[in-house]
Amino acid sequence: MRDAYHEELDSIGDGLVEMARLVGSAIGRATTAMLDSDLKLAENVIEADQKVDELQHDLEARAIALLARQQPVATDLRIVVTSLRMSADLERSGDLAQHVAKLARLRYPDRAVPSDLHATILEMGQLAQRLMAKAAEVIITKDVDLALQLEQDDDAMDLLHRTLFQHLMDDRWKHGIETAVDVTLLGRYYERFADHAVSVAKRVVYLVTGEHADELQSADVQPEIQAVTGSESA
């Protein structure tokens, strides 16, 4: 029974990794659809979000069943509760990738992004994908140092987001109000996607250490890490 219990805990972690990989791929493909005005790819991203939703629902059901059957304590309880929160972050990330694809579909056959902003949007999409790939690695490795790095990596996204606004506020902006709204929304989608990747990494820090990432960073101390692989029995 205990072996089956811990196998189920491991399978929840596997589900989170799969979700992270799916939404990371989705934001990359949505960005391509946006910049290339690729309607077929945009539709593919929109439809594929159902798989992410199904994974979240399945993970939630299994986590709640574990809480009801096993009544876990200590580290095991942290794993289950934190996994539920991470799945919500990942599901929302999938929604944001879908929003990008829906905007590409809405403007087809035109492009929502003017040519002078293509490079910035491409960089935001690539960075969002890298951040989520790193979040997936953090889920797998439980590497606290790597998890804490994500917030620093997110600074690059914030800088790109500010760059977009500088273009929008420039007196030389010539692309009209509709395009300004589109670009504003896109910037927000990518910025929030990156925030969710950081949130996932922070939740892994809590899962491993029992302390919140912000507290560890403010204290500037090396936490004593309790290995999750040897989680306590209920």
Side-chain angles (χ1 to χ4, degrees):
M1 289 294 293
R2 298 304 302 172
D3 287 344
Y5 168 53
H6 286 288
E7 285 176 6
E8 188 67 15
L9 282 177
D10 291 341
S11 74
I12 289 174
D14 293 341
L16 290 170
V17 172
E18 185 177 1
M19 287 183 72
R21 288 174 173 166
L22 285 173
V23 300
S25 173
I27 197 68
R29 291 182 295 119
T31 301
T32 299
M34 172 65 61
L35 297 179
D36 294 349
S37 191
D38 188 330
L39 180 60
K40 183 177 180 180
L41 183 57
E43 294 282 10
N44 180 267
V45 173
I46 293 166
E47 292 171 6
D49 187 58
Q50 182 177 350
K51 174 64 174 177
V52 176
D53 293 342
E54 290 172 352
L55 280 170
Q56 190 209 14
H57 296 157
D58 179 65
L59 190 149
E60 282 185 341
R62 286 187 283 133
I64 291 171
L66 276 179
L67 288 172
R69 292 197 313 266
Q70 301 292 338
Q71 298 182 348
V73 297
T75 304
D76 288 350
L77 182 59
R78 282 211 306 272
I79 292 172
V80 177
V81 173
T82 304
S83 295
L84 284 168
R85 291 172 176 170
M86 284 193 285
S87 74
D89 279 313
L90 293 169
E91 188 275 335
R92 183 56 183 149
S93 299
D95 288 345
L96 291 164
Q98 187 184 59
H99 291 341
V100 174
K102 284 183 175 180
L103 185 54
R105 182 178 65 180
L106 177 67
R107 299 305 176 206
Y108 179 83
D110 297 324
R111 290 180 169 89
V113 179
S115 58
D116 53 328
L117 288 179
H118 272 215
T120 302
I121 292 297
L122 176 61
E123 190 173 355
M124 293 182 85
Q126 291 174 339
L127 178 57
Q129 191 168 7
R130 290 198 302 272
L131 286 169
M132 191 56 74
K134 187 175 282 189
E137 183 179 353
V138 167
I139 296 171
I140 295 168
T141 63
K142 307 297 187 294
D143 186 329
V144 170
D145 290 333
L146 183 63
L148 294 174
Q149 287 174 17
L150 254 78
E151 190 159 18
Q152 295 177 352
D153 296 340
D154 183 49
D155 290 342
M157 183 66 81
D158 294 335
L159 179 60
L160 289 167
H161 195 203
R162 288 195 296 272
T163 298
L164 281 184
F165 272 95
Q166 288 170 359
H167 281 277
L168 291 169
M169 300 301 293
D170 196 310
D171 291 338
R172 293 170 293 178
W173 177 263
K174 58 183 179 181
H175 304 294
I177 295 175
E178 182 178 88
T179 301
V181 171
D182 288 346
V183 171
T184 300
L185 288 172
L186 280 174
R188 182 59 174 166
Y189 296 155
Y190 287 116
E191 188 263 341
R192 288 299 299 146
F193 187 98
D195 285 347
H196 284 297
V198 172
S199 179
V200 167
K202 285 183 174 182
R203 295 191 194 283
V204 173
V205 173
Y206 175 72
L207 187 155
V208 174
T209 68
E211 299 183 63
H212 294 288
D214 294 341
E215 295 171 352
L216 292 177
Q217 290 171 322
S218 62
D220 194 26
V221 296
Q222 184 68 29
E224 181 181 349
I225 298 174
Q226 178 181 14
V228 172
T229 52
S231 59
E232 300 171 27
S233 299

